[in-house]
Amino acid sequence: MANAIRALAMDAVEQAKSGHPGLPMGAADIATVLFTRFLKFDAADPAWPDRDRFVLSAGHGSMLLYALLHLLGYEKMTVAEIKRFRQLGALTAGHPEHNLAAGIETTTGPLGQGLANAVGMAIAERHLAALFGDDIVDHATYVLASDGDLMEGISQEAIALAGHLKLNKLIVLFDDNGISIDGPVALADSVDQVRRFQAAGWAATRVDGHDPEAIAAALEAAKASERPSLIACRTTIGFGAPTKAGTEKTHGAPLGAEEIAAARQKLGWSAPAFEIPSAVRDRWRAAGARGRPLRLAWQDRLAALDAPRRAAFERRITGALPAEKVAAAVEATKRKLAEAPQDIATRAASETALEALTAAVPEMIGGSADLTASNNTRTKGMKTLSAADYAGRFIHYGVREHGMAAAMNGMALHGGVIPYGGTFLAFSDYSRPAIRLAALMGQRVIHVMTHDSIGLGEDGPTHQPVEHLAALRAIPNLKVFRPCDAVETVECWQLALETATGPSVLALTRQSVPQLRRDFVAGNRCARGAYELIGAAGGAAAVSLFASGSEVAIAVAAHKLLAARAVAARVVSVPCFELFLAAPAAERAAVVGDAAIKIAVEAGVRQGWDAIIGSDGTFVGMAGFGASAPYKDLYRHFAITAERVAEAALARLR
Ligand SMILES: Cc1ncc(C[n+]2csc(CCOP(=O)(O)OP(=O)(O)O)c2C)c(N)n1
């Protein structure tokens, strides 16, 4: 059965003239034991909520996963797809791309991410089990990880968090083949992985990765463990390739017709390319259907749940928000702010919004990378999610921004929870690879990123984001919100929550900002990404001022200065570029307006603003790194002030 995987991997890579045969051939025995004897799943229902998750963290070995899914009978993973490996539009992309219908749990390829996703999946599983009971939620998360996965820094964050949370249903199979692209792993690494995992609170063991019974025994032990488990499986990369096995030559290139022919002989595999002998296919198909009775029994248990619990579970799994409750929470918050305006930091406004939203949306799970009180992500009464209490809704991720972001991706992929987590905006660089994958996968993960400019003050330029808004706005399918006040903050939270098809960043201030939106407006004014906050007195505007976040108040003050000089100006708040740029052209043109003078104000770099103010517009912002000083001094020092904005407008009017 394992040789069927090897043959398909060799053939598909050969046909594509590109790909990685080494891992699938080396890990075929591990995968065969796991999928035929341990993994709980039903190929006929890839989305069964209580299935065990399998994450191929070493995504370059994608043919392992595609071969398995094909052999097991996943309807969409046809032999035609295998033959179209790495071709445009095929399910068999170069690296696995999240597609639940086809059985692919997460997009992997950037090494280490899958392992960290799996930690999030395992957290989501324990949390939902604590809420809905083991009868409804009781599954394991398995990972196949390579040397590269374990060399990446993110793996340390992931395994430390998993060990701390005692995620005993997380089982990592390490394809310990001692080979990476440059050659032997020993060229660059001499870590004892078993002891490393043990030090992080895992159960860890070594086995021969080509001995099915040894693998099975280790998996049995792992399933009984009270800690997460590592099984280091000693394997030979490219197992079966007569001259290339055990070397980096099998890692990422087709083996060649001659080597493949010789491998077939060595493995005793006589079937032609892409053909699976019926006896072997039947056994694989039986393995693919093995979980059906378990799934049906689970469905009965779900049906037997009392109606409200069942409805809650089903709603959460589909990802549908409790829409009326969200709308009511947002409206109540906005009404309160209209009655009693709050001149507070938007991070504090975010906490206020979260008080209402987390009460309305029980699937929201908050957290912070050790900046809880700074990020304001924990609402009153939110219990900590811990090894002692998985029902908690707040996760202390530790100083692990990257691990947090990737775990949140795993939680979103698992379903049933909506993760949000906090750090400083400057440290979005540390979580960026995972944010990018959430965007690529279309996952609802919400990043609260406070201390969003030089406005944080004395911590200095290391902590003051300058290029980060532009860098985040460059990621496709990521929404970057930068609300200007308490009202926009709750509106942006609503938009982030309602964006079920991608991640969001909320860039929030440390410093207080005035509440500019004083009147209650039922609709979400941020929904179009940009809108006129203050119109020009007497009709036609000579000057349009655009700003986001804390700089909207500066634009408003500049508007006042200009009014005193009888200059008709208008102010446009721009809380979300992506939503604005997606609006119809006519609507955008109306918001941009036809004032000859366009000025944008943002305490960051200019990049991106030309789409609104044009290359001949004036930009008031940062052109280099910040400095350490009280924030008001910094705004004056870098000349991001109302006076400067008004002067710039007047200079152009002269
Ligand atoms: C973050 C990241 N860096 C680099 C790569 C490129 N890359 C792909 S596989 C690999 C290492 C291969 O070694 P190993 O993980 O042991 O896989 P094996 O050779 O056993 O297939 C590298 C560096 C990547 N996919 N992701």
Side-chain angles (χ1 to χ4, degrees):
M1 291 175 86
N3 284 342
I5 297 173
R6 294 187 172 104
L8 285 172
M10 287 192 292
D11 295 342
V13 171
E14 194 66 17
Q15 172 136 325
K17 304 248 173 300
S18 106
H20 302 75
L23 185 147
M25 296 174 77
D29 294 313
I30 304 169
T32 303
V33 173
L34 178 65
F35 276 75
T36 61
R37 293 165 64 176
F38 288 88
L39 199 79
K40 178 176 79 167
F41 70 103
D42 180 357
D45 184 1
W48 172 26
D50 201 33
R51 68 191 180 281
D52 286 347
R53 305 311 196 253
F54 173 73
V55 173
L56 178 65
S57 192
H60 60 276
S62 57
M63 264 314 302
L64 176 75
L65 184 56
Y66 304 149
L68 283 164
L69 296 171
H70 170 64
L71 292 165
L72 291 162
Y74 281 77
E75 199 184 339
K76 298 212 166 197
M77 199 56 80
T78 58
V79 73
E81 293 290 343
I82 301 287
K83 287 180 178 169
R84 294 205 311 125
F85 180 48
R86 295 190 153 222
Q87 305 309 307
L88 192 64
L91 287 172
T92 47
H95 292 77
E97 291 179 23
H98 172 57
N99 184 327
L100 209 46
I104 303 167
E105 299 283 357
T106 176
T107 294
T108 51
L111 290 164
Q113 294 288 334
L115 174 59
N117 292 162
V119 173
M121 292 174 184
I123 291 172
E125 190 271 345
R126 283 294 78 203
H127 178 71
L128 291 170
L131 299 186
F132 292 97
D134 288 349
D135 264 8
I136 303 301
V137 182
D138 181 16
H139 50 268
T141 304
Y142 294 94
V143 181
L144 189 86
S146 66
D147 296 298
D149 284 303
L150 301 193
M151 279 193 268
E152 290 291 351
I154 190 175
S155 71
Q156 185 57 28
E157 299 183 22
I159 69 171
L161 184 61
H164 174 72
L165 290 176
K166 297 192 168 58
L167 300 172
N168 69 329
K169 297 171 84 175
L170 175 63
I171 299 174
V172 175
L173 294 146
F174 167 32
D175 180 33
D176 182 12
N177 62 26
I179 293 289
S180 67
I181 292 178
D182 279 3
V185 169
L187 286 171
D189 196 66
S190 46
V191 170
D192 180 334
Q193 296 292 355
V194 165
R195 285 169 62 195
R196 173 188 176 218
F197 276 73
Q198 284 169 342
W202 289 53
T205 180
R206 279 199 173 83
V207 299
D208 174 351
H210 298 298
D211 177 347
E213 292 318 314
I215 298 165
L219 281 167
E220 287 293 357
K223 283 185 70 167
S225 171
E226 286 175 358
R227 292 176 285 168
S229 297
L230 172 83
I231 305 172
C233 308
R234 175 58 74 178
T235 60
T236 301
I237 190 169
F239 183 95
T243 71
K244 297 184 176 176
T247 74
E248 67 276 16
K249 289 194 183 104
T250 66
H251 162 83
L255 296 180
E258 223 173 286
E259 183 85 359
I260 291 178
R264 280 187 141 74
Q265 225 165 26
K266 192 171 159 74
L267 294 169
W269 187 264
S270 53
F274 298 107
E275 280 181 32
I276 306 296
S278 58
V280 177
R281 178 173 298 277
D282 290 348
R283 289 177 71 183
W284 271 112
R285 284 293 166 92
R290 193 170 50 85
R292 185 180 156 82
L294 292 174
R295 177 170 65 84
L296 296 179
W298 176 86
Q299 278 176 349
D300 290 344
R301 292 197 298 278
L302 182 67
L305 269 193
D306 61 87
R309 273 169 78 74
R310 193 178 74 221
F313 180 79
E314 287 175 339
R315 182 188 66 71
R316 288 176 64 148
I317 290 298
T318 63
L321 285 174
E324 282 167 23
K325 287 186 181 162
V326 171
V330 171
E331 173 165 342
T333 307
K334 284 165 70 173
R335 280 199 191 281
K336 266 192 226 153
L337 289 168
E339 280 160 25
Q342 303 280 312
D343 296 342
I344 53 176
T346 53
R347 62 175 172 148
S350 170
E351 184 176 340
T352 306
L354 282 171
E355 292 287 353
L357 289 169
T358 55
V361 186
E363 58 268 40
M364 288 175 76
I365 303 223
S368 172
D370 200 44
L371 289 168
T372 300
S374 298
N375 301 144
N376 300 57
T377 44
R378 181 178 195 143
T379 58
K380 285 179 210 83
M382 230 184 194
K383 281 192 303 174
T384 298
L385 187 154
S386 68
D389 183 9
Y390 292 116
R393 287 175 65 190
F394 189 84
I395 301 179
H396 291 281
Y397 285 101
V399 191
R400 303 185 184 109
E401 298 83 8
H402 199 183
M404 171 175 73
M408 290 201 293
N409 289 355
M411 292 162 74
L413 288 160
H414 180 280
V417 294
I418 299 177
Y420 72 91
T423 185
F424 290 162
L425 183 59
F427 306 142
S428 60
D429 287 338
Y430 277 39
S431 30
R432 187 178 177 87
I435 298 175
R436 179 175 189 267
L437 283 168
L440 180 59
M441 289 189 273
Q443 293 302 305
R444 176 168 45 198
V445 175
I446 303 174
H447 295 269
V448 175
M449 297 200 161
T450 67
H451 298 57
D452 71 346
S453 74
I454 54 164
L456 66 86
E458 295 87 342
D459 270 347
T462 55
H463 287 44
Q464 291 162 357
V466 172
E467 76 282 24
H468 298 76
L469 290 167
L472 290 166
R473 286 171 182 149
I475 298 179
N477 196 37
L478 170 67
K479 286 185 185 143
V480 181
F481 294 100
R482 191 163 185 253
C484 75
D485 72 355
V487 175
E488 278 198 0
T489 302
V490 66
E491 289 185 347
C492 290
W493 256 113
Q494 179 179 22
L495 295 168
L497 271 176
E498 288 174 357
T499 302
T501 54
S504 299
V505 167
L506 291 156
L508 305 172
T509 68
R510 170 178 188 259
Q511 75 276 27
S512 293
V513 290
Q515 185 176 321
L516 300 169
R517 293 266 304 277
R518 297 256 161 178
D519 299 328
F520 175 78
V521 177
N524 189 321
R525 298 196 77 190
C526 294
R528 296 302 201 171
Y531 63 95
E532 189 176 86
L533 185 68
I534 304 178
V543 178
S544 282
L545 302 174
F546 303 88
S548 82
S550 40
E551 287 70 65
V552 178
I554 291 174
V556 170
H559 176 271
K560 211 168 165 186
L561 294 176
L562 289 169
R565 303 285 294 266
V567 174
R570 57 196 279 274
V571 177
V572 175
S573 178
V574 190
C576 182
F577 272 39
E578 296 76 21
L579 287 172
F580 178 62
L581 296 176
E587 205 175 294
R588 262 183 292 141
V591 173
V592 170
D594 45 21
I597 299 171
K598 297 186 183 70
I599 301 178
V601 198
E602 186 171 81
V605 298
R606 175 172 184 140
Q607 194 173 332
W609 277 98
D610 287 15
I612 294 174
I613 59 171
S615 56
D616 56 346
T618 299
F619 182 72
V620 175
M622 298 293 290
F625 295 113
S628 172
Y631 84 90
K632 287 183 181 163
D633 293 348
L634 290 174
Y635 272 90
R636 276 193 294 273
H637 176 72
F638 290 107
I640 305 175
T641 61
E643 292 73 19
R644 161 88 185 285
V645 174
E647 269 163 31
L650 292 169
R652 290 195 50 181
L653 278 169
R654 275 184 215 121

